[in-house]
mmCIF file of all heavy atoms in Angstrom:
data_model
loop_
_atom_site.group_PDB
_atom_site.id
_atom_site.type_symbol
_atom_site.label_atom_id
_atom_site.label_comp_id
_atom_site.label_asym_id
_atom_site.label_seq_id
_atom_site.Cartn_x
_atom_site.Cartn_y
_atom_site.Cartn_z
ATOM 1 N N ALA A 6 4.701 -4.655 -14.537
ATOM 2 C CA ALA A 6 5.381 -3.374 -14.324
ATOM 3 C C ALA A 6 5.383 -2.495 -15.571
ATOM 4 O O ALA A 6 5.030 -1.312 -15.507
ATOM 5 C CB ALA A 6 6.814 -3.622 -13.851
ATOM 6 N N ALA A 7 5.800 -3.051 -16.718
ATOM 7 C CA ALA A 7 5.923 -2.244 -17.934
ATOM 8 C C ALA A 7 4.580 -1.647 -18.340
ATOM 9 O O ALA A 7 4.487 -0.476 -18.705
ATOM 10 C CB ALA A 7 6.501 -3.087 -19.063
ATOM 11 N N LEU A 8 3.524 -2.454 -18.273
ATOM 12 C CA LEU A 8 2.196 -1.985 -18.657
ATOM 13 C C LEU A 8 1.697 -0.902 -17.715
ATOM 14 O O LEU A 8 1.204 0.145 -18.137
ATOM 15 C CB LEU A 8 1.213 -3.165 -18.657
ATOM 16 C CG LEU A 8 -0.252 -2.838 -18.971
ATOM 17 C CD1 LEU A 8 -0.379 -2.214 -20.344
ATOM 18 C CD2 LEU A 8 -1.114 -4.095 -18.865
ATOM 19 N N VAL A 9 1.857 -1.127 -16.428
ATOM 20 C CA VAL A 9 1.346 -0.189 -15.427
ATOM 21 C C VAL A 9 2.091 1.142 -15.483
ATOM 22 O O VAL A 9 1.478 2.213 -15.458
ATOM 23 C CB VAL A 9 1.445 -0.805 -14.017
ATOM 24 C CG1 VAL A 9 1.103 0.230 -12.951
ATOM 25 C CG2 VAL A 9 0.514 -1.999 -13.903
ATOM 26 N N LEU A 10 3.423 1.093 -15.572
ATOM 27 C CA LEU A 10 4.212 2.319 -15.564
ATOM 28 C C LEU A 10 3.927 3.193 -16.782
ATOM 29 O O LEU A 10 4.152 4.399 -16.757
ATOM 30 C CB LEU A 10 5.706 1.981 -15.503
ATOM 31 C CG LEU A 10 6.179 1.370 -14.186
ATOM 32 C CD1 LEU A 10 7.628 0.906 -14.309
ATOM 33 C CD2 LEU A 10 6.029 2.344 -13.027
ATOM 34 N N GLY A 11 3.407 2.594 -17.844
ATOM 35 C CA GLY A 11 3.073 3.356 -19.043
ATOM 36 C C GLY A 11 1.797 4.169 -18.921
ATOM 37 O O GLY A 11 1.498 4.989 -19.789
ATOM 38 N N GLY A 12 1.039 3.972 -17.846
ATOM 39 C CA GLY A 12 -0.198 4.735 -17.670
ATOM 40 C C GLY A 12 -0.832 4.465 -16.325
ATOM 41 O O GLY A 12 -1.842 3.768 -16.218
ATOM 42 N N VAL A 13 -0.234 5.011 -15.258
ATOM 43 C CA VAL A 13 -0.732 4.776 -13.902
ATOM 44 C C VAL A 13 -2.067 5.487 -13.707
ATOM 45 O O VAL A 13 -2.191 6.682 -13.961
ATOM 46 C CB VAL A 13 0.291 5.267 -12.855
ATOM 47 C CG1 VAL A 13 -0.271 5.133 -11.440
ATOM 48 C CG2 VAL A 13 1.596 4.487 -12.991
ATOM 49 N N THR A 14 -3.075 4.735 -13.293
ATOM 50 C CA THR A 14 -4.408 5.307 -13.070
ATOM 51 C C THR A 14 -4.769 5.387 -11.588
ATOM 52 O O THR A 14 -5.759 6.010 -11.220
ATOM 53 C CB THR A 14 -5.483 4.468 -13.785
ATOM 54 O OG1 THR A 14 -5.419 3.107 -13.311
ATOM 55 C CG2 THR A 14 -5.259 4.476 -15.294
ATOM 56 N N GLU A 15 -3.985 4.738 -10.748
ATOM 57 C CA GLU A 15 -4.232 4.803 -9.310
ATOM 58 C C GLU A 15 -2.961 4.411 -8.568
ATOM 59 O O GLU A 15 -2.220 3.535 -8.999
ATOM 60 C CB GLU A 15 -5.377 3.875 -8.903
ATOM 61 C CG GLU A 15 -5.858 4.075 -7.479
ATOM 62 C CD GLU A 15 -7.126 3.282 -7.185
ATOM 63 O OE1 GLU A 15 -8.153 3.547 -7.830
ATOM 64 O OE2 GLU A 15 -7.067 2.416 -6.290
ATOM 65 N N LEU A 16 -2.723 5.078 -7.467
ATOM 66 C CA LEU A 16 -1.537 4.857 -6.660
ATOM 67 C C LEU A 16 -1.975 4.610 -5.229
ATOM 68 O O LEU A 16 -2.792 5.358 -4.693
ATOM 69 C CB LEU A 16 -0.639 6.096 -6.734
ATOM 70 C CG LEU A 16 0.695 6.075 -6.010
ATOM 71 C CD1 LEU A 16 1.645 5.081 -6.660
ATOM 72 C CD2 LEU A 16 1.310 7.469 -6.026
ATOM 73 N N ARG A 17 -1.463 3.541 -4.615
ATOM 74 C CA ARG A 17 -1.871 3.215 -3.258
ATOM 75 C C ARG A 17 -0.662 2.923 -2.381
ATOM 76 O O ARG A 17 0.341 2.405 -2.844
ATOM 77 C CB ARG A 17 -2.779 1.978 -3.239
ATOM 78 C CG ARG A 17 -4.100 2.148 -3.961
ATOM 79 C CD ARG A 17 -4.947 0.908 -3.836
ATOM 80 N NE ARG A 17 -6.247 1.066 -4.507
ATOM 81 C CZ ARG A 17 -7.194 0.137 -4.502
ATOM 82 N NH1 ARG A 17 -6.990 -1.014 -3.893
ATOM 83 N NH2 ARG A 17 -8.332 0.373 -5.117
ATOM 84 N N LEU A 18 -0.778 3.241 -1.111
ATOM 85 C CA LEU A 18 0.227 2.879 -0.120
ATOM 86 C C LEU A 18 -0.427 1.942 0.883
ATOM 87 O O LEU A 18 -1.438 2.291 1.498
ATOM 88 C CB LEU A 18 0.755 4.133 0.591
ATOM 89 C CG LEU A 18 1.806 3.893 1.680
ATOM 90 C CD1 LEU A 18 3.088 3.330 1.075
ATOM 91 C CD2 LEU A 18 2.113 5.188 2.423
ATOM 92 N N TYR A 19 0.142 0.734 1.011
ATOM 93 C CA TYR A 19 -0.398 -0.263 1.918
ATOM 94 C C TYR A 19 0.515 -0.446 3.117
ATOM 95 O O TYR A 19 1.718 -0.214 3.037
ATOM 96 C CB TYR A 19 -0.524 -1.617 1.216
ATOM 97 C CG TYR A 19 -1.711 -1.736 0.291
ATOM 98 C CD1 TYR A 19 -1.595 -1.435 -1.061
ATOM 99 C CD2 TYR A 19 -2.938 -2.176 0.769
ATOM 100 C CE1 TYR A 19 -2.676 -1.568 -1.919
ATOM 101 C CE2 TYR A 19 -4.027 -2.316 -0.088
ATOM 102 C CZ TYR A 19 -3.890 -2.007 -1.420
ATOM 103 O OH TYR A 19 -4.960 -2.134 -2.264
ATOM 104 N N HIS A 20 -0.061 -0.920 4.220
ATOM 105 C CA HIS A 20 0.750 -1.306 5.360
ATOM 106 C C HIS A 20 0.396 -2.723 5.763
ATOM 107 O O HIS A 20 -0.691 -3.224 5.498
ATOM 108 C CB HIS A 20 0.541 -0.362 6.549
ATOM 109 C CG HIS A 20 -0.741 -0.585 7.289
ATOM 110 N ND1 HIS A 20 -0.916 -1.612 8.191
ATOM 111 C CD2 HIS A 20 -1.920 0.086 7.262
ATOM 112 C CE1 HIS A 20 -2.133 -1.556 8.697
ATOM 113 N NE2 HIS A 20 -2.773 -0.540 8.148
ATOM 114 N N GLY A 21 1.320 -3.376 6.423
ATOM 115 C CA GLY A 21 1.085 -4.697 6.982
ATOM 116 C C GLY A 21 2.099 -4.909 8.085
ATOM 117 O O GLY A 21 2.795 -3.988 8.496
ATOM 118 N N THR A 22 2.193 -6.122 8.563
ATOM 119 C CA THR A 22 3.194 -6.443 9.560
ATOM 120 C C THR A 22 3.657 -7.872 9.338
ATOM 121 O O THR A 22 2.910 -8.705 8.828
ATOM 122 C CB THR A 22 2.657 -6.289 10.991
ATOM 123 O OG1 THR A 22 3.653 -6.711 11.914
ATOM 124 C CG2 THR A 22 1.409 -7.109 11.210
ATOM 125 N N SER A 23 4.893 -8.149 9.688
ATOM 126 C CA SER A 23 5.416 -9.506 9.547
ATOM 127 C C SER A 23 4.901 -10.414 10.655
ATOM 128 O O SER A 23 4.932 -11.637 10.525
ATOM 129 C CB SER A 23 6.949 -9.468 9.581
ATOM 130 O OG SER A 23 7.447 -8.679 8.525
ATOM 131 N N ALA A 24 4.442 -9.844 11.746
ATOM 132 C CA ALA A 24 3.928 -10.640 12.855
ATOM 133 C C ALA A 24 2.523 -11.156 12.550
ATOM 134 O O ALA A 24 1.785 -10.550 11.777
ATOM 135 C CB ALA A 24 3.912 -9.797 14.129
ATOM 136 N N ALA A 25 2.178 -12.270 13.139
ATOM 137 C CA ALA A 25 0.868 -12.877 12.891
ATOM 138 C C ALA A 25 -0.193 -12.241 13.784
ATOM 139 O O ALA A 25 -0.910 -12.914 14.529
ATOM 140 C CB ALA A 25 0.939 -14.376 13.139
ATOM 141 N N VAL A 26 -0.276 -10.943 13.723
ATOM 142 C CA VAL A 26 -1.272 -10.197 14.491
ATOM 143 C C VAL A 26 -1.847 -9.117 13.595
ATOM 144 O O VAL A 26 -1.227 -8.678 12.628
ATOM 145 C CB VAL A 26 -0.661 -9.549 15.749
ATOM 146 C CG1 VAL A 26 -0.193 -10.609 16.736
ATOM 147 C CG2 VAL A 26 0.502 -8.640 15.378
ATOM 148 N N ASP A 27 -3.059 -8.681 13.923
ATOM 149 C CA ASP A 27 -3.652 -7.589 13.169
ATOM 150 C C ASP A 27 -2.890 -6.294 13.454
ATOM 151 O O ASP A 27 -2.217 -6.150 14.468
ATOM 152 C CB ASP A 27 -5.129 -7.413 13.549
ATOM 153 C CG ASP A 27 -5.991 -8.525 12.986
ATOM 154 O OD1 ASP A 27 -5.457 -9.309 12.176
ATOM 155 O OD2 ASP A 27 -7.164 -8.602 13.349
ATOM 156 N N VAL A 28 -3.038 -5.357 12.534
ATOM 157 C CA VAL A 28 -2.301 -4.105 12.619
ATOM 158 C C VAL A 28 -3.220 -2.981 13.072
ATOM 159 O O VAL A 28 -4.357 -2.885 12.624
ATOM 160 C CB VAL A 28 -1.710 -3.748 11.237
ATOM 161 C CG1 VAL A 28 -0.994 -2.406 11.296
ATOM 162 C CG2 VAL A 28 -0.757 -4.833 10.787
ATOM 163 N N ALA A 29 -2.724 -2.141 13.942
ATOM 164 C CA ALA A 29 -3.375 -0.872 14.251
ATOM 165 C C ALA A 29 -2.360 0.201 13.887
ATOM 166 O O ALA A 29 -1.379 0.390 14.598
ATOM 167 C CB ALA A 29 -3.772 -0.799 15.715
ATOM 168 N N ALA A 30 -2.568 0.863 12.773
ATOM 169 C CA ALA A 30 -1.554 1.777 12.236
ATOM 170 C C ALA A 30 -1.973 3.229 12.400
ATOM 171 O O ALA A 30 -3.128 3.585 12.183
ATOM 172 C CB ALA A 30 -1.316 1.485 10.757
ATOM 173 N N THR A 31 -1.025 4.026 12.801
ATOM 174 C CA THR A 31 -1.162 5.480 12.771
ATOM 175 C C THR A 31 0.092 5.992 12.089
ATOM 176 O O THR A 31 1.177 5.957 12.669
ATOM 177 C CB THR A 31 -1.285 6.065 14.182
ATOM 178 O OG1 THR A 31 -2.410 5.466 14.840
ATOM 179 C CG2 THR A 31 -1.494 7.570 14.121
ATOM 180 N N LEU A 32 -0.058 6.439 10.868
ATOM 181 C CA LEU A 32 1.091 6.735 10.014
ATOM 182 C C LEU A 32 1.096 8.199 9.603
ATOM 183 O O LEU A 32 0.125 8.704 9.033
ATOM 184 C CB LEU A 32 1.049 5.850 8.768
ATOM 185 C CG LEU A 32 2.235 5.960 7.813
ATOM 186 C CD1 LEU A 32 3.499 5.424 8.460
ATOM 187 C CD2 LEU A 32 1.934 5.209 6.512
ATOM 188 N N GLY A 33 2.186 8.885 9.904
ATOM 189 C CA GLY A 33 2.378 10.241 9.423
ATOM 190 C C GLY A 33 3.085 10.202 8.076
ATOM 191 O O GLY A 33 4.019 9.430 7.893
ATOM 192 N N ILE A 34 2.634 11.023 7.135
ATOM 193 C CA ILE A 34 3.192 11.044 5.782
ATOM 194 C C ILE A 34 3.415 12.493 5.370
ATOM 195 O O ILE A 34 2.528 13.335 5.517
ATOM 196 C CB ILE A 34 2.236 10.362 4.778
ATOM 197 C CG1 ILE A 34 1.821 8.979 5.274
ATOM 198 C CG2 ILE A 34 2.885 10.259 3.389
ATOM 199 C CD1 ILE A 34 0.672 8.356 4.494
#
């Protein structure tokens, strides 16, 4: 955390699910 927060070079948003199934996501942001 300390190293990354000092110079963020990329930011990502991931999705997943707690269920044991694949995800089909349609996400509004």
Side-chain angles (χ1 to χ4, degrees):
L8 177 60
V9 172
L10 291 172
V13 175
T14 58
E15 191 172 298
L16 182 68
R17 296 183 179 182
L18 179 65
Y19 282 93
H20 76 78
T22 176
S23 300
V26 294
D27 287 351
V28 177
T31 302
L32 184 67
I34 309 168

